[in-house]
Amino acid sequence: MSGTIIVQQAGNTVVTDLGRFRGPRFGLPVNGALDQYSARAANILVGNDDNSPLLELTALDFRMTTTADLLITVTGAAAELTVGGRSYPQWEPVSVAAGEPVAVRGIRGGLRAYLAVHGSVEVPRLLGSCAPDSVVGFGVRLTGGTALSVQRPVPAFRQPFYDMPLFRLGVQRPASGGEALVDVTDGPDIAEFGDSADLLFSSEYTVSPRSNHIGLRLGGNLPERVTSGEVLSRGVPVGAIEVPSREELLILHRGRGVTAGYPVLAVATSLGLDVLAQARPGDRIRFRATTVTEATAAYRRSMLQLETLRQSVATVFGLLGIHRPAGWQDLPAAACG
C-alpha cells in the first residue's frame, strides 16, 4: 500500500538527501542538505536510512495533506508544527492520519527546517542522489499541487490520554540565530595573510542577503593578503573561507564548484557548516580556531549522539511493529557508547 503527499503551500522547499558524493569526480558539486546533523536526525527519528530523501524548508511556511497514515518529524530551526490543527513538538516522531493537514510555520532562530517521512518519498536521482543542482538544472523543487509518493504508510498512533505526545526520543540541538560561533581549521594559504589572519578570530562578521547554498558572504573587518602572486585554480573543499575582494569573506558551502582561484584563509569544520546552514541574513558570525584532531573528535561525538538516538528509535519501533532498515534490528550496545 502506498500513499501520496499533496503540497498545498510550498514556500521555499526542495527534496534533498545528504549529497551527491560521486559528483565531484565528474565536476559536480556535492550539494545535499546544508544542515547535515538535522537532516540525519530527521531520517533516524522516522526509521529511515540516514541518506533517504527528505524535505528541506528554507525560511517560508509549508503545508501539505496526505492520502494515507504517515509518521513524520521536523528538525532543524525552530518552527510551529501542527497536525490537524494541533501543535506537536519538533525532533520527535509524529503520527499523521490520512486527510489531516500538516503545517510548518514561523521558522525562526535559524533558516532551515527538515521534514522527514517514514518510508521516504519517491523522486528521481542523479549519480545516486536526489540533491538539487542549480547548475545542471536537476532536482525537485516543490510547488503548490506537487504530489509525492510514499511507499510505507504507518497506521496512525494516538496516545489515549489527552492526546499527549506518543514518542519522547529526540536529541534537540539548538539552532543558531543572532550570533553564531563557527569552528575553523587553518587553510592552505593562511600564511599569505600574515598577521592580519588573526582578524578572522577577533572580528565579528555579518551575513549578507546575497548568501545562498553555494556560499555565504560575510561583511566585516577583512584580513588582507600580503603576497601578490597569482593563485591558480585548484580543488577546494566545502567550507573553504576565501577573501575574493576587499568587501567580504566568502564561505563555500555544499553547492560550491569543485575548483576556485582565490586564497583559502581557513576551512569551516563539518559541525561549523551545520551552524552556517542556519545563519540568516543579518546574523552575526564569529570564528574560533580549532585543529583537525579536535574537529574530528567533535564530529565523532555528534555521530555517537545520533547512534544513541538510532538505538532508542530501533527499540521503540520494534516494540510497535514499525518497519526499520535492515541494519537497525540488531544494533550492538557498543554503538551507543
Side-chain angles (χ1 to χ4, degrees):
M1 177 182 177
S2 63
T4 302
I5 288 173
I6 302 170
V7 177
Q8 296 174 312
Q9 181 180 1
N12 184 11
T13 302
V14 298
V15 182
T16 191
D17 52 27
L18 295 181
R20 184 165 294 104
F21 303 109
R22 293 168 55 198
R25 74 185 69 173
F26 298 105
L28 296 177
V30 67
N31 282 303
L34 267 67
D35 183 346
Q36 295 267 297
Y37 182 94
S38 293
R40 287 180 184 273
N43 271 322
I44 290 171
L45 283 164
V46 293
N48 293 340
D49 288 323
D50 290 20
N51 200 32
S52 297
L54 78 170
L55 308 187
E56 183 179 66
L57 289 58
T58 301
L60 303 180
D61 294 351
F62 173 84
R63 292 186 295 114
M64 71 179 199
T65 58
T66 172
T67 64
D69 300 340
L70 298 179
L71 193 66
I72 71 167
T73 193
V74 175
T75 64
E80 180 186 359
L81 168 63
T82 60
V83 176
R86 299 181 299 275
S87 295
Y88 285 89
Q90 292 178 250
W91 299 83
E92 297 286 350
V94 175
S95 186
V96 179
E100 284 190 311
V102 176
V104 181
R105 297 187 176 95
I107 294 176
R108 59 195 181 278
L111 188 60
R112 294 178 171 88
Y114 294 86
L115 191 158
V117 180
H118 178 75
S120 193
V121 295
E122 290 189 356
V123 286
R125 286 176 167 81
L126 173 65
L127 295 177
S129 171
C130 72
D133 190 312
S134 59
V135 175
V136 299
F138 176 83
V140 176
R141 178 172 293 278
L142 303 187
T143 60
T146 297
L148 298 172
S149 294
V150 180
Q151 285 300 306
R152 200 176 297 127
V154 178
F157 291 91
R158 282 287 189 268
Q159 219 277 1
F161 301 105
Y162 307 109
D163 206 23
M164 294 173 62
L166 179 62
F167 303 97
R168 295 186 184 276
L169 300 171
V171 179
Q172 182 161 358
R173 186 201 61 179
S176 63
E179 181 172 294
L181 183 63
V182 176
D183 284 338
V184 300
T185 58
D186 286 350
D189 307 313
I190 189 170
E192 295 191 19
F193 292 87
D195 293 340
S196 76
D198 292 338
L199 290 174
L200 185 67
F201 308 109
S202 61
S203 303
E204 181 179 82
Y205 297 89
T206 303
V207 179
S208 165
R210 298 169 58 217
S211 301
N212 55 28
H213 68 289
I214 296 174
L216 275 80
R217 299 177 182 274
L218 308 179
N221 198 7
L222 303 182
E224 292 189 20
R225 191 174 177 222
V226 296
T227 60
S228 58
E230 182 178 357
V231 178
L232 299 178
S233 290
R234 68 264 171 91
V236 290
V238 175
I241 300 177
E242 301 178 334
V243 188
S245 71
R246 293 177 179 269
E247 298 178 356
E248 60 188 8
L249 290 177
L250 175 62
I251 307 177
L252 301 181
H253 221 304
R254 299 183 64 82
R256 63 70 172 111
V258 296
T259 61
Y262 295 113
V264 177
L265 172 64
V267 179
T269 66
S270 295
L271 298 184
L273 284 168
D274 290 345
V275 173
L276 291 167
Q278 297 295 354
R280 287 174 168 268
D283 281 356
R284 301 179 302 279
I285 303 291
R286 285 191 175 274
F287 296 98
R288 178 173 62 188
T290 189
T291 66
V292 172
T293 299
E294 291 168 341
T296 301
Y299 180 77
R300 287 175 175 169
R301 287 193 296 271
S302 73
M303 293 300 101
L304 182 59
Q305 186 180 41
L306 291 179
E307 287 304 319
T308 301
L309 176 61
R310 194 192 317 275
Q311 180 71 17
S312 298
V313 173
T315 299
V316 173
F317 280 24
L319 293 172
L320 294 172
I322 301 175
H323 176 273
R324 297 159 292 163
W328 282 40
Q329 278 80 342
D330 299 307
L331 283 173
C336 298

